[in-house]
Amino acid sequence: HFISMSRSALLSPLASLGLSHRIVMAPLTRLRSAANFVPSDLTVEYYSQRASKGGLLITEGAIVSPETQYDDAPGIYTTEQEEGWKRVVQKVHEKGGKISVQLWHLGRLSHGSFAQHPFLKTLGRPLGSVSSSPNAFQSYTRDVNGQKAAYTVPRELTREEITGRLVEDYRLAAQAAKRCGFDFVEIHAAHGYLFDQFFCDAVNTRTDEFGTQTLENRTRALSGVLKAVIEVMGRERVGIRISPTYSDGWAYQGCSDSQPDKLYPAIVSWLDQFKLAYLLLSEPRWNGGRNNMNPATDSTYSVPIRNSWARKIYSGVIIGSSSFVPDTADAAIRDGIYDAIAFGRFFISNPDFVARVHKNSPANVYDTRTFYTRGAKGYTDYPTLEAVGDFPTIRFEDIGAKAKL
């Protein structure tokens, strides 16, 4: 028990990424951008609070182009947005931290009504929801006016768009990220968003070379984008996120495949050739939303790791995420399954999460009700260890301890 309490593996340097510890902040949608989807003063403060010397933060998804806007998520497709991110990077670097920007295209999960957004209409770029195929997710989201609405049927991207404009949109976003000074960019290819919509045969019903007939076809859209982003950043500054699913579990946002147990290992194996900075894998434990309100009774923290196969077929840095606590993170690193662990919910509620892991101090309990709201509440107002006052906390060893399995 003493070994796990020291958390020596989790707190050891990761030389290949230039990190002095292996506690990573996971990408987390927070929806706090200012007008015109610009990272706000609050956003700058939020990332600055969570930066640590030699620690890696991964940003929330930054929307790559006007056609795929979501709610009040920040973009990286205008000069003004870029200036906002520049301030974020500057603050993180001032604290000795590193930061990766996640490039996000939602595909069919962006609502078609954003084509009517007054600001987006001024940009002279394509608008409206797109995907691999014109198949809507049978569920609800928020439309351009913030009202609950059924997902719209996306327009099928043409072959010319996939090889031309889509690649160019990512190239532009990567160039913006480079100008901002981001240490890394991460391509979001997980959780049922655009690239998952090409991988999975329940969504991708194309019959051309971007269909699901072969692995090469399923990954062709991603391949073009990956090569363009590598051209801009260099492969040692590009990461990617993948979320393997399993035939005995759920799919992310309706993005299911007939043989997921074969599909995702094949994709991970294929990715090895690119020699990227890192591969971020989601463990299939926590599926978003406002469930699991109480960390003490949350059963997802004790679900066994499923993605341990990745180490056998992928030679680079692998970061794990979803429902880890410091001791299970330390064990996953010591066991050689992952090289680092990305924490999400506890980074939301603990700006000084890294210090709390070092000192084994109790952690602030997160309030799931403010994950996706607006303003400072539940965003920049969580206290540090030094703060005076009463705030609900939980000891790391009590997380998930009262779960009904």
Side-chain angles (χ1 to χ4, degrees):
H1 188 68
F2 174 73
I3 292 176
S4 73
M5 289 312 289
S6 77
R7 302 177 183 142
S8 55
L10 182 61
L11 296 172
S12 68
L14 181 54
S16 62
L17 298 185
L19 305 179
S20 51
H21 60 78
R22 298 167 186 243
I23 300 168
V24 176
M25 178 170 160
L28 299 155
T29 300
R30 302 304 311 276
L31 308 178
R32 259 75 167 194
S33 68
N36 300 346
F37 314 109
V38 173
S40 63
D41 292 347
L42 277 178
T43 304
V44 175
E45 185 187 352
Y46 166 79
Y47 286 107
S48 171
Q49 286 175 339
R50 282 155 185 77
S52 65
K53 191 169 167 43
L56 175 63
L57 307 183
I58 306 174
T59 71
E60 63 210 284
I63 307 280
V64 293
S65 68
E67 77 180 350
T68 188
Q69 188 54 51
Y70 171 71
D71 214 303
D72 279 336
I76 192 164
Y77 53 81
T78 72
T79 311
E80 200 187 357
Q81 291 165 356
E82 194 180 315
E83 291 306 315
W85 285 119
K86 224 172 246 176
R87 293 164 54 218
V88 168
V89 172
Q90 195 180 336
K91 286 290 187 201
V92 170
H93 285 168
E94 277 170 18
K95 291 182 78 172
K98 292 192 181 279
I99 185 164
S100 179
V101 61
Q102 188 188 63
L103 301 183
W104 194 21
H105 194 306
L106 290 95
R108 68 182 190 155
L109 298 173
S110 171
H111 197 266
S113 63
F114 276 92
Q116 305 310 316
H117 190 282
F119 170 68
L120 297 180
K121 283 163 77 172
T122 67
L123 299 175
R125 290 175 68 177
L127 299 177
S129 183
V130 297
S131 184
S132 59
S133 306
N135 299 317
F137 176 30
Q138 301 302 314
S139 185
Y140 292 87
T141 184
R142 284 207 284 258
D143 66 13
V144 68
N145 300 313
Q147 302 302 308
K148 183 178 176 179
Y151 277 98
T152 44
V153 176
R155 180 176 66 77
E156 179 172 294
L157 285 162
T158 66
R159 294 159 72 184
E160 292 70 31
E161 282 180 295
I162 298 168
T163 54
R165 186 179 62 77
L166 182 69
V167 170
E168 199 50 33
D169 285 347
Y170 272 89
R171 192 192 310 276
L172 291 171
Q175 286 168 342
K178 194 175 187 179
R179 290 190 297 267
C180 289
F182 280 106
D183 301 284
F184 306 96
V185 305
E186 172 181 313
I187 294 171
H188 194 347
H191 300 168
Y193 296 110
L194 181 66
F195 295 111
D196 234 356
Q197 293 163 31
F198 277 96
F199 298 158
C200 294
D201 57 20
V203 180
N204 184 350
T205 50
R206 300 177 76 101
T207 54
D208 64 5
E209 71 272 34
F210 295 99
T212 57
Q213 306 82 353
T214 63
L215 179 74
E216 192 181 0
N217 286 1
R218 291 175 193 242
T219 55
R220 199 181 299 276
L222 174 58
S223 184
V225 162
L226 208 41
K227 285 168 184 164
V229 173
I230 287 169
E231 228 168 78
V232 173
M233 297 295 296
R235 63 184 72 248
E236 69 289 342
R237 290 174 67 188
V238 179
I240 191 162
R241 188 174 206 183
I242 299 285
S243 53
T245 57
Y246 297 87
S247 49
D248 61 357
W250 35 257
Y252 293 92
Q253 309 193 83
C255 201
S256 60
D257 190 75
S258 57
Q259 295 183 294
D261 311 66
K262 284 188 178 157
L263 173 63
Y264 289 101
I267 291 168
V268 168
S269 183
W270 170 82
L271 281 168
D272 196 42
Q273 66 181 302
F274 293 98
K275 306 292 174 238
L276 301 173
Y278 65 83
L279 166 66
L280 173 59
L281 291 181
S282 305
E283 281 292 334
R285 301 201 269 214
W286 193 66
N287 199 8
R290 294 189 180 83
N291 301 335
N292 315 117
M293 307 283 274
N294 180 356
T297 57
D298 185 339
S299 62
T300 64
Y301 286 102
S302 49
V303 174
I305 286 176
R306 293 294 296 268
N307 300 334
S308 50
W309 49 263
R311 177 63 78 204
K312 302 177 185 74
I313 57 175
Y314 187 82
S315 56
V317 168
I318 310 177
I319 304 175
S321 71
S322 302
S323 296
F324 281 93
V325 295
D327 288 344
T328 56
D330 189 74
I333 295 167
R334 273 186 294 119
D335 293 344
I337 298 168
Y338 289 119
D339 297 290
I341 298 294
F343 295 86
R345 289 164 287 170
F346 279 103
F347 244 121
I348 288 176
S349 54
N350 296 276
D352 54 352
F353 180 69
V354 175
R356 291 176 194 251
V357 175
H358 267 277
K359 297 172 182 172
N360 199 31
S361 308
N364 297 325
V365 175
Y366 44 82
D367 181 354
T368 56
R369 294 169 303 183
T370 54
F371 280 4
Y372 309 114
T373 49
R374 306 294 181 270
K377 187 172 165 51
Y379 190 51
T380 53
D381 65 350
Y382 282 105
T384 58
L385 278 168
E386 293 75 41
V388 182
D390 199 27
F391 200 85
T393 60
I394 186 168
R395 296 182 311 164
F396 286 126
E397 58 267 36
D398 293 336
I399 296 166
K402 294 182 180 148
K404 291 176 177 60
L405 300 178

